Amino acid sequence: MPDFIYNNKIYYNPVEFAMDRIGGTWKMPILWRLQRKVFRFGELKKDIPHITDKMLTSQLRQLEAEGFIHREVYAVVPPKVEYSITEKGMTAIPIIETIRNYGLELMEKEGIKHK
């Protein structure tokens, strides 16, 4: 497949492009949680161990910009913001599940226990 440019970045293959959208340490866990319910920022922060406020904010903004999640702001005091997965985001769930299952399989083969 020939190289292509998207948002001023060159990509060499579709896997690189997809991983740029949902890859990394935190995007898939965020999408995985949002598939089942709507979360507020603090709920996500509490549910995803080890993520910093700055990183969660960054990842949520990127996922929103790419159309994988929706951010709903309510005009109340104190401000209320909720995050939900979009139809586009739901299309990533089967891929995330496959990667997750593969990771669990690799962990098992290496004798790594998991919850």
Side-chain angles (χ1 to χ4, degrees), residues 1-108:
M1 174 171 200
D3 304 346
F4 61 96
I5 297 173
Y6 178 79
N7 282 346
N8 297 319
K9 181 176 177 184
I10 190 164
Y11 292 92
Y12 302 109
N13 59 67
V15 173
E16 178 190 13
F17 184 72
M19 292 306 292
D20 199 34
R21 312 270 92 57
I22 64 168
T25 304
W26 304 113
K27 288 179 184 173
M28 286 190 246
I30 291 168
L31 289 170
W32 187 256
R33 282 159 177 82
L34 290 175
Q35 75 175 312
R36 291 194 173 84
K37 73 177 222 178
V38 173
F39 277 85
R40 293 179 69 179
F41 183 91
E43 294 170 324
L44 274 171
K45 175 80 168 76
K46 186 184 271 186
D47 203 53
I48 303 174
H50 313 295
I51 194 168
T52 64
D53 287 356
K54 182 179 178 181
M55 182 57 71
L56 181 55
T57 298
S58 168
Q59 299 297 276
L60 289 169
R61 285 181 182 159
Q62 289 176 28
L63 288 166
E64 181 186 13
E66 291 291 338
F68 287 96
I69 66 170
H70 173 72
R71 180 177 183 262
E72 184 74 31
V73 180
Y74 296 91
V76 295
V77 176
K80 178 181 175 182
V81 179
E82 292 181 335
Y83 296 92
S84 58
I85 196 165
T86 63
E87 285 185 37
K88 181 178 181 179
M90 285 301 292
T91 66
I93 296 302
I95 288 91
I96 295 168
E97 185 170 21
T98 299
I99 292 169
R100 181 182 182 278
N101 290 340
Y102 181 62
L104 290 170
E105 181 183 312
L106 290 174
M107 289 168 64
E108 186 179 317

